[in-house]
Amino acid sequence: MVSVAPGLDEIRERAKPFPRRHFLSVTDLDPVRVGELLELAESFVALNRQASKKIDLLKGRTQINLFFEASTRTQSSFELAGKRLGADVINMSPRASSISKGETLVDTAVTLNAMQPDILIIRHAASGAASLLSQKVDCSVVNAGDGQHEHPSQALLDALSMRRAFGRIDGLTVAICGDVLHSRVARSNVALLLMMGARVRLVGPPTLMPAAAARWGVEVVHDMKAGIRGADVVMMLRLQFERMQGALVPSTREYFRLWGLDREKLALAAPGVRVMHPGPMNRGVEIDSEVADDLQVSLVQDQVEMGVAVRMAVLAALAARLDNR
Amino acid sequence: MNAQPLAFIGARLVDPESGYDGPGCLLTADGCIARISRGDALPGLPDGARVIDAGGAVLSPGLVDLRVKTGEPGSEPKETLKSASRAAAAGGVTSIVVMPDTDPPVDEPSVADFILRRARDIELVHVYPAGAATRGCEGKALAEIGLMREAGCVFVTDADRPIVDSRVMRRLLAYAGGLGVLVAHRPADPWLTAGAAASEGEFAGRMGLPSEPPAAETIMLERDLALLELTAPAGARLMVDQVSAESALDTLRRSKDRGLPVIASASINHLTFNELDIGDYRTFWKLTPPLRAEADRVALVGAVTSGLVDIVVSAHAPAPAEDKRLPFEEATPGSVGLETLFPALLTLWHEGQAPLLRLLETVTLAPARAIGSPAGRLAIGAPADLILCDIDAPRVIDASLLLSKSKNSAFDGRRLQGRVLMTVVDGRVVWESAPVPAQ
């Protein structure tokens, strides 16, 4: 682990160009690239802990955060990441403006493209929206969550948090629990964790499990206690009420009883287990506050900190590619 | 009908009614097929006949497509009756049945009459309206089925909208059956399909797309066939619109084996593509019903070959760019298909997936019979609705070159085999791709 932040030249040296113009999916990466990005992110962790957190790596670059869906932590994380690297960052939340006047995603993309941004960060409620946008613009596009599909920077920050806690990802048993069906975080994490050699279990009621999830190379377990047993990491997912249509679970009370994470269930996990949650948490629904706030087991704060560092690494790598072009 | 007589010499006649596939000549007169010879000569040609040396090209009945959407009336920028007719003529489709879910819908005789008058003015291919089964295609009250039949509607359907209320469906089948009118219905459970953009399975799960299980089709089909059994004594007949799931084929087979008056169609899209063709959220492959697994597609091709599925349709559904250039979940489903139906069908034959005569039957004789048309066959006295085609010609489909006003073709970029050289409707040449050498 890096304790002293490297300087600009050293970071420039470490920032290998991103393999593609866009970062839309975990599948844009391979294990070597993931390792490089996590190493680079470590440099930024050190930088972010200094009083002076800013370097000029992205000086002159324009970053637009285009968030069609409300987001606090991801948007501010990308905003801070861009600003600490010296980019000019603007935030747009089109749900309040043009979209309500009938402008489509592609119209918005073409308009923004004419403003010559270098990097577009997009979040949208529809799966595939980031990919569609990337086909219509000249700049780099980063997927900050598209519907129920992917949220690749979340998977990277989760990987960094795990690697810092355990010193490795390879060989860990990770139980991803709860609303897998609606979760882009789960899809990206499954892809990245399998790529990095972890064993993955998906745990939750059958109504919240995607069809044929067992063919993803994971173990699907419906009983929470069986799913947690022996796990090194328990990753809780937010119950996404806003995406739910019809009868998926009978009540939050029953859900908490059967799939909510509390001390009793957590005791079945491996010694030294760490708990993760992408946030925002529904306390008392999928996770008990007692567990969520226990800094001995919870990595939730680390995840937020690693989020900024990982996004800086992604932006730096994309910029390195832009510089090379 | 004073069209110039056409004499096709040196053709390969392919006729699904007689099962003949061999050399021959054919003469048209007064809009009908006047003479057929299975030799290589046609002695005693009438004066003024245009002689066409087919040079071994295939001469077959023109296609009859029972599922075509245009935007007329109401959404003319999508497609007009004229642009659809031109696309049909170019694709070798000599008869089209247009869906009633227009604006206003074809749920009373005057709109049907409007469509027929427009078609007469355009004078390209035969255009037959399908009437709405229920008023406004809303699935609540019966439309004026008897009056629409008199106006010229060839069957009734609510197009893409399933009739949810089982009592309405039962009464529809009985009432239409009593009038001798065929009912077409696409089976889809409204709750299982709500919000779905893809077929349930590993692919949709990975892509994070809301999906419907194939059972959504099977469940509604089981209901429809149970209601058909109740109403068949009153004369009810059902056409299952666009079967897509392997499990639904099992259901269909059981009912057919028991002699129920049911026929079924499949779309060329579902015979050609599977869910993986959606790829990176490509909206031209967003269809209703959604593209299914490869096992479903293979089963569907088998059902077309065996005759379990009677009819193949283009499911022509024009959608302009602004309705397709959207995130997958938000995009309008459907693909244009009039110009690609025939080469796509021929490609199935070239790939050895199904026999030529059987495939041809599903787009000529079988659909013609379903709507009571005498077309779809090479027989003396039958309408001279014919196509001359090079069944081997390789081509790459370029959607931007299609004649449809909307270019949303699932076949864009696809390599197909087969080209229509000439399309003849009632003895008139309505499409000619290149000058055909005359003697």
Side-chain angles (χ1 to χ4, degrees):
Chain A
M1 246 176 263
V2 184
S3 50
V4 178
L8 179 60
D9 290 338
E10 201 179 336
I11 283 179
R12 214 170 242 143
E13 187 70 25
R14 286 186 193 179
K16 301 277 190 303
F18 202 77
R20 299 177 185 216
R21 178 150 65 96
H22 310 296
F23 186 28
L24 304 177
S25 162
V26 163
T27 57
D28 291 331
L29 301 171
D30 56 54
V32 175
R33 302 285 184 172
V34 172
E36 284 170 5
L37 281 171
L38 296 185
E39 281 304 318
L40 183 58
E42 291 284 6
S43 313
F44 293 123
V45 173
L47 180 74
N48 289 339
R49 286 178 178 178
Q50 292 181 168
S52 172
K53 301 173 173 61
K54 211 159 164 170
I55 57 169
D56 283 342
L57 201 66
L58 263 65
K59 192 175 181 187
R61 297 281 184 196
T62 305
Q63 172 190 334
I64 299 181
N65 293 341
L66 184 59
F67 277 62
F68 291 87
E69 262 189 340
S71 155
T72 311
R73 80 181 64 198
T74 305
Q75 182 168 343
S76 51
S77 182
F78 270 110
E79 183 177 355
L80 268 182
K83 285 181 170 165
R84 285 183 181 168
L85 293 176
D88 296 312
V89 184
I90 64 163
N91 289 310
M92 295 186 63
S93 302
R95 65 192 174 282
S97 53
S98 310
I99 290 300
S100 52
K101 296 175 197 153
E103 190 177 80
T104 66
L105 174 64
V106 170
D107 291 336
T108 308
V110 170
T111 305
L112 290 180
N113 191 49
M115 298 177 188
Q116 307 285 346
D118 299 290
I119 298 174
L120 264 177
I121 316 290
I122 180 187
R123 166 167 291 190
H124 195 282
S127 301
S131 167
L132 176 66
L133 190 84
S134 73
Q135 294 160 31
K136 307 292 174 189
V137 297
D138 303 313
C139 61
S140 291
V141 172
V142 177
N143 181 5
D146 63 328
Q148 303 169 18
H149 179 223
E150 281 231 38
H151 189 357
S153 65
Q154 176 76 39
L156 279 178
L157 76 87
D158 289 340
L160 183 59
S161 306
M162 279 182 235
R163 208 181 67 155
R164 288 172 67 93
F166 292 92
R168 66 192 166 100
I169 298 170
D170 187 31
L172 292 179
T173 297
V174 182
I176 302 178
C177 308
D179 185 359
V180 179
L181 177 65
H182 298 100
S183 178
R184 52 196 173 212
V185 173
R187 283 175 182 75
S188 285
N189 260 304
V190 167
L192 190 70
L193 289 168
L194 292 179
M195 188 192 292
M196 301 309 285
R199 294 178 52 207
V200 180
R201 289 184 202 147
L202 297 178
V203 188
T207 47
L208 295 178
M209 216 40 85
R215 276 188 257 156
W216 293 3
V218 301
E219 192 185 348
V220 175
V221 185
H222 299 308
D223 178 75
M224 183 73 170
K225 288 178 179 169
I228 285 186
R229 190 161 287 128
D232 301 301
V233 176
V234 178
M235 186 183 290
M236 299 306 298
L237 300 171
R238 192 169 63 86
L239 200 56
Q240 301 199 38
F241 297 108
E242 71 277 14
R243 290 189 209 276
M244 289 195 183
Q245 285 166 353
L248 289 168
V249 290
S251 70
T252 52
R253 180 169 81 166
E254 177 164 323
Y255 185 82
F256 181 67
R257 177 66 168 267
L258 298 181
W259 290 282
L261 185 66
D262 56 18
R263 285 265 183 232
E264 189 196 332
K265 295 195 190 91
L266 191 60
L268 299 167
V273 63
R274 308 307 292 268
V275 173
M276 303 176 75
H277 194 297
M281 288 185 275
N282 296 308
R283 289 166 182 268
V285 179
E286 71 257 357
I287 191 162
D288 191 13
S289 281
E290 201 193 341
V291 175
D293 300 334
D294 180 351
L295 295 178
Q296 296 300 310
V297 295
S298 171
L299 287 178
V300 174
Q301 296 307 315
D302 299 54
Q303 287 174 276
V304 178
E305 185 186 356
M306 295 312 125
V308 179
V310 147
R311 282 157 187 144
M312 289 169 80
V314 168
L315 293 174
L318 285 167
R321 186 187 163 91
L322 290 173
D323 292 338
N324 276 4
R325 197 170 51 183
Chain B
M1 288 190 219
N2 293 318
Q4 180 187 27
L6 302 173
F8 293 92
I9 308 293
R12 172 179 166 190
L13 303 183
V14 182
D15 175 37
E17 188 183 47
S18 62
Y20 181 72
D21 178 354
C25 304
L26 184 146
L27 177 72
T28 74
D30 299 327
C32 293
I33 297 172
R35 273 159 53 192
I36 297 172
S37 144
R38 288 186 179 178
D40 51 8
L42 203 57
L45 289 179
D47 290 343
R50 176 178 167 190
V51 177
I52 297 147
D53 182 357
V58 164
L59 185 69
S60 80
L63 275 59
V64 179
D65 187 350
L66 299 191
R67 205 187 205 283
V68 174
K69 285 192 180 207
T70 77
E72 190 171 352
S75 313
E76 286 79 1
K78 267 193 222 174
E79 187 89 293
T80 59
L81 288 166
K82 187 170 188 173
S83 63
S85 297
R86 289 178 62 213
V93 180
T94 50
S95 296
I96 60 174
V97 176
V98 293
M99 292 295 103
D101 54 345
T102 45
D103 181 17
V106 188
D107 62 355
E108 47 101 12
S110 72
V111 188
D113 193 55
F114 163 79
I115 288 171
L116 287 167
R117 273 187 286 116
R118 290 281 295 129
R120 266 197 299 277
D121 293 344
I122 295 163
E123 215 185 356
L124 279 172
V125 300
H126 299 290
V127 178
Y128 301 105
T134 65
R135 248 176 244 160
C137 298
E138 286 176 347
K140 292 183 184 133
L142 294 186
E144 292 173 324
I145 295 168
L147 295 179
M148 288 192 294
R149 180 193 63 173
E150 286 179 16
C153 290
V154 290
F155 58 82
V156 293
T157 178
D158 279 356
D160 294 338
R161 294 176 70 168
I163 294 164
V164 177
D165 186 325
S166 302
R167 191 169 62 169
V168 170
M169 186 64 181
R170 177 190 183 176
R171 289 174 178 170
L172 168 67
L173 284 166
Y175 186 84
L179 295 171
V181 174
L182 176 70
V183 172
H185 188 236
R186 189 171 87 70
D189 180 280
W191 295 283
L192 286 172
T193 57
S199 190
E200 189 171 298
E202 188 183 353
F203 176 77
R206 279 182 186 278
M207 300 299 278
L209 288 173
S211 58
E212 57 164 90
E217 184 172 304
T218 315
I219 288 168
M220 189 62 109
L221 182 60
E222 293 273 6
R223 182 207 70 169
D224 286 355
L225 293 170
L227 293 176
L228 183 64
E229 186 143 17
L230 277 181
T231 51
R237 287 183 300 133
L238 176 69
M239 176 160 68
V240 184
D241 179 29
Q242 296 183 79
V243 188
S244 66
E246 186 177 12
S247 54
L249 293 172
D250 296 336
T251 303
L252 184 65
R253 185 179 299 110
R254 283 200 303 278
S255 292
K256 277 198 159 188
D257 286 350
R258 285 172 39 225
L260 277 184
V262 58
I263 55 175
S265 72
S267 94
I268 188 65
N269 301 320
H270 293 86
L271 293 168
T272 306
F273 304 109
N274 66 34
E275 58 191 350
L276 300 180
D277 284 293
I278 292 169
D280 188 18
Y281 302 99
R282 300 190 300 171
T283 56
F284 285 4
W285 286 261
K286 180 177 180 182
L287 306 170
T288 46
L291 288 171
R292 308 274 184 204
E294 175 64 5
D296 293 290
R297 190 197 68 82
V298 170
L300 202 58
V301 172
V304 165
T305 305
S306 73
L308 177 60
V309 167
D310 307 84
I311 291 162
V312 174
V313 296
S314 72
H316 183 81
E322 62 265 29
D323 292 349
K324 280 290 188 185
R325 217 182 282 146
L326 292 169
F328 197 84
E329 291 162 51
E330 297 167 17
T332 301
S335 166
V336 293
L338 280 167
E339 290 162 82
T340 46
L341 171 59
F342 191 51
L345 209 63
L346 287 174
T347 302
L348 289 177
W349 167 65
H350 280 294
E351 291 170 354
Q353 299 197 50
L356 179 62
L357 267 166
R358 172 61 201 146
L359 287 172
L360 198 60
E361 182 182 4
T362 64
V363 289
T364 55
L365 188 64
R369 280 190 176 149
I371 61 169
S373 159
R377 60 215 175 98
L378 299 183
I380 291 167
D385 293 353
L386 304 165
I387 52 174
L388 186 67
C389 45
D390 178 346
I391 57 172
D392 298 319
R395 52 198 288 212
V396 180
I397 301 299
D398 178 349
S400 68
L401 300 179
L402 296 177
L403 297 178
S404 280
K405 283 182 102 171
S406 296
K407 312 297 183 190
N408 56 306
S409 171
F411 288 91
D412 189 25
R414 189 93 174 176
R415 286 161 203 282
L416 300 179
Q417 266 185 285
R419 182 180 295 281
V420 177
L421 303 173
M422 180 185 274
T423 305
V424 176
V425 175
D426 283 338
R428 288 175 292 114
V429 177
V430 297
W431 165 261
E432 219 173 331
S433 72
V436 178
Q439 281 184 334

